[in-house]
Amino acid sequence: MKKILLVLFIAHFVYLIALKWVNPPITVTMISSWIGTWGTDTKFHKTWVDYSEISEFTKLAVLSSEDQLFPDHNGFDFKSIEKAMKHNQKSKKIRGASTISQQVAKNVFLWQGRSWFRKGLEVYFTFMIEKLWGKERILEVYLNVAQTGDAIFGVEAAAQQFYHKPAASLNREQSAMIAASLPNPVKYTVVPPARPTLYRQKKILVQMRLLAGDPDISELISSK
């Protein structure tokens, strides 16, 4: 039993390191979404693109909407976590406080859910990818594995399906619209745009203008 556990630990560690350079082939969320398309007219879409092939507007939009402190934190935004905990104690509507790093840890290595066991694993994987991958790789993976529509994953697939262009050509408004869908990409539709998506897009566009001059964010989103 100890040998099996040791082998599993080494295997997961090797996989974790390999993903610094090798793109994750698929995630549990993608598999679940793909199975959900069986027997329907909905098609599954997933296309990976390199970091340099994604519009800087898209990177900025996602940072503005999902994690404005991403360049500065170590994987966890403790102030937001504290605020979310206080909110959730008083409200039936659960508010999350996951950073982009936490979302990548959950999407790539784990499954959806709110159990304490899964949350504990999320903390571990978040810590590891922050140490091993670096910010640019984490953001690149997020932009490629995040669900952006019904059975649509990644900003490239979203750009092709919604705007018939590559992610590299997305403009400011289109990038903000895709970013606006991220909290609930099935409900917050991009095309046709749902009312909540349009509302969020306007807020994101304001934040994009405010964050555009931040030197850390400017350096991070620059294509290489």
Side-chain angles (χ1 to χ4, degrees), residues 48-64:
W48 187 284
V49 286
D50 292 337
Y51 194 74
S52 60
E53 297 175 359
I54 299 173
S55 166
E56 292 186 14
F57 288 131
T58 305
K59 298 168 188 174
L60 179 59
V62 169
L63 291 173
S64 299

Side-chain angles (χ1 to χ4, degrees), residues 166-190:
S169 300
L170 289 170
N171 62 30
R172 183 183 296 272
E173 288 72 23
Q174 293 164 344
S175 296
M177 186 67 80
I178 292 173
S181 74
L182 291 173
N184 192 332
V186 176
K187 179 181 178 182
Y188 296 171
T189 55
V190 174

Side-chain angles (χ1 to χ4, degrees), residues 120-199:
L121 291 175
E122 180 185 303
V123 169
Y124 166 75
F125 281 110
T126 299
F127 174 81
M128 294 299 289
I129 63 175
E130 279 279 340
K131 294 297 182 182
L132 296 173
W133 292 6
K135 293 292 186 180
E136 183 179 308
R137 178 58 174 170
I138 292 172
L139 184 57
E140 178 184 24
V141 173
Y142 179 77
L143 291 167
N144 279 285
V145 303
Q147 187 170 1
T148 49
D150 189 8
I152 300 173
F153 290 83
V155 296
E156 175 68 17
Q160 296 287 355
Q161 293 303 308
F162 300 137
Y163 299 116
H164 310 292
K165 60 169 62 176
S169 300
L170 289 170
N171 62 30
R172 183 183 296 272
E173 288 72 23
Q174 293 164 344
S175 296
M177 186 67 80
I178 292 173
S181 74
L182 291 173
N184 192 332
V186 176
K187 179 181 178 182
Y188 296 171
T189 55
V190 174
V191 176
R195 185 175 296 179
T197 321
L198 288 168
Y199 174 74

Side-chain angles (χ1 to χ4, degrees), residues 15 19 24-34 44 46 48 103-112 141 144-147 153:
Y15 181 64
L19 290 185
I26 200 164
T27 69
V28 173
T29 304
M30 289 179 186
I31 293 173
S32 177
S33 179
W34 175 61
F44 181 84
K46 176 181 76 76
W48 187 284
Q103 293 181 58
V104 169
K106 176 182 66 178
N107 289 336
V108 173
F109 299 103
L110 303 170
W111 59 95
Q112 304 297 321
V141 173
N144 279 285
V145 303
Q147 187 170 1
F153 290 83

Side-chain angles (χ1 to χ4, degrees), residues 65-85:
S65 64
E66 296 295 297
D67 190 354
Q68 296 186 7
L69 298 178
F70 179 71
D72 305 313
H73 63 60
N74 62 354
F76 306 94
D77 183 351
F78 293 105
K79 288 185 178 180
S80 294
I81 292 173
E82 184 179 357
K83 289 180 180 178
M85 291 177 66

